[in-house]
Amino acid sequence: MAAFSYAFAANVASSSLCLNGYAPHRYRVFNCRASSSSSEESSAKSENTKGIFSFVTDNPSSRNAIQLENTPAQDGNLGQMITEIEDKGREFGSYKRAGEFSWFVRETGALDAKNGTIVFLHGAPTQSYSYRVVIEKMGEAGYHCYAPDWIGYGFSERPQPKYGFSYTEEAYHEELDKLLNRLGIDAPFFLVTQGFIVGSYGLTWALKNSDRVAKLIVLNGPLTPSAPLPSVFQQMRLPFIGEFTCQNAMLAERFVEGGSTYVLDLNDADVYRLPYLDSSDPGFALLESTRKAPLNELSARIEAGFVSGRWNVPTMVAWGVTDKYLPTSEAENFAKRNSEVIHVQLLEGAGHLPQEDWPEKVVEALLKFF
């Protein structure tokens, strides 16, 4: 979670920093991590303190990217990093076994919450950690909230592709049904979805189970066949290139930052990075789910399924307008096809992950809609 320093605030003070009375959740700066002073300091390190992997870890670019402390790089930095951050990011979470797999599920609010149950589904390549502030506030507001990590993502189980889990849309739907049963969610609930691939599977699940959805909230994600596909997913669909791309430990955090004008706080970046540092399995799970996703056909089904006459569940599209992956027209055109049921709430100052960028605005929109 970001915390503004007074010096930083003084340098960038403007009315845009406090839109509608809120302060942004993350640093409101252009996406860059480097500073000339830190680069100069890194390059000035003594050659005598470098280990055998110094060509990787002890240069201005790599040191800045992996965000290590400004101390001489030593052998074993990776293991040291994992040890230091391995307990981060478990807020409100516990493991729930549903069927054959173990899900990591964040939960807030009381079981008998007066206002009902909300299920929050994240998109690729992130995790439920992005909802941590939203579910805390919604729990305090009288809702019972669940935010699971999809199978293969975050801290949930990561079965190897072709060994017990296929990473297809149908497989994800089946496992989600098992999880909802395990959680005892029988009555219609509020569903919140966001993002690419598994986020889209949340929408197609809703189309097949509209009687189980009391209201639907759609945060930024592909809603029409014209939605552009971020380059990271294009790369992962290519032979050989995908195998290398999916093993980039900073893939998730860079995806989060790439979708907005904010830079993650270092503690939050650690959490997004941790699953990819800890094992190669999350990368291969992401690779498999990306390659198995029928992307064009998936978006076409979403667009067609929510048109007037087919979908009558009250729906709000809460859209971060500074999304660098998807234009605002994606939300507006989607809503126009069923304007009596679907309406758009624009979230100024938020990017591709509004729940991470500016969770207070997401909470405000949810409370108003519910």
Side-chain angles (χ1 to χ4, degrees), residues 4 29-30 32 34 76 122 133 138 156 161 167 172 190-191 199 271 296 300 306 309-310 316 319 347 357:
F4 281 100
V29 296
F30 291 108
C32 59
H122 70 86
V133 177
M138 295 304 291
S156 284
Y167 289 93
Y172 274 114
F190 302 116
L191 178 63
V271 179
N296 291 334
F306 286 94
R310 292 188 178 183
M316 176 180 69
W319 197 267
L347 305 178
D357 290 351

Side-chain angles (χ1 to χ4, degrees), residues 5 49 153 211 222 244 331 346 359 364:
S5 69
T49 62
Y153 290 79
D211 59 324
F244 284 99
L346 297 181
E364 182 182 38

Side-chain angles (χ1 to χ4, degrees), residues 23 65 77 86 117 126 162 182 193 200 207 221 319 341 355 370:
N77 269 335
E86 62 183 351
T117 299
T126 64
K162 302 178 183 178
R182 167 68 174 80
T193 71
S200 295
L207 288 173
W319 197 267
V341 174
Q355 71 272 29
F370 293 159

Side-chain angles (χ1 to χ4, degrees), residues 17 66 68 88 96 125 137 156 180 193 195 239 251 259 262 290 313 336:
L17 283 172
I66 60 178
L68 294 174
K88 291 183 179 181
K96 309 285 187 183
K137 300 301 182 184
S156 284
L180 295 176
T193 71
L251 184 153
Y262 302 98
T290 301
V313 176
K336 285 178 182 177

Side-chain angles (χ1 to χ4, degrees), residues 196-197 225 229 233 237 289-290 292-300:
F196 288 88
I197 305 177
L229 185 66
F233 298 121
R237 293 172 75 87
S289 57
T290 301
K292 290 287 183 68
L295 296 176
N296 291 334
E297 187 260 341
L298 183 63
S299 297

Side-chain angles (χ1 to χ4, degrees), residues 47 50-63 73 75:
E47 292 296 324
K50 296 181 179 180
I52 61 173
F53 295 110
S54 60
F55 70 97
V56 174
T57 60
D58 202 31
N59 63 76
S61 176
S62 293
R63 174 175 296 282
D75 298 344

